[in-house]
Amino acid sequence: MTLADRTEILRTVGITPLLTTNQLMALYGVSNWTVNEWVKNGCPLEPTAFRGRRFNLADVRAWMARQAPANAA
């Protein structure tokens, strides 16, 4: 099942799937170091009751869009 499939299924009950660091790395084709740098620079994390990071893809995409003007200058 793809992320898009899971998102559609969960949307009907009002839940957004959260991505792990590995899933975010795979989605964007970046390294763990890059994701760590994003987090240091303000990439939004979702609070969890366990160890590990989780990312809301919509929040990450919005954060990246806000970063784009800074990177273009």
Side-chain angles (χ1 to χ4, degrees):
M1 181 177 293
T2 67
L3 177 60
D5 295 336
R6 287 187 304 157
T7 300
E8 278 307 308
I9 290 168
L10 294 173
R11 184 186 328 264
T12 61
V13 293
I15 298 173
T16 301
L18 300 178
L19 303 180
T20 65
T21 299
N22 286 340
Q23 290 169 327
L24 194 65
M25 288 167 37
L27 183 66
Y28 284 100
V30 297
S31 68
N32 189 54
W33 183 87
T34 299
V35 174
N36 287 337
E37 289 298 307
W38 290 351
V39 171
K40 287 180 193 175
N41 290 317
C43 182
L45 295 170
E46 291 296 315
T48 62
F50 50 88
R51 190 172 180 191
R53 297 179 184 161
R54 295 294 184 267
F55 300 88
N56 179 319
L57 185 55
D59 292 347
V60 171
R61 285 182 173 156
W63 177 80
M64 290 184 132
R66 291 190 303 273
Q67 303 310 303
N71 292 336

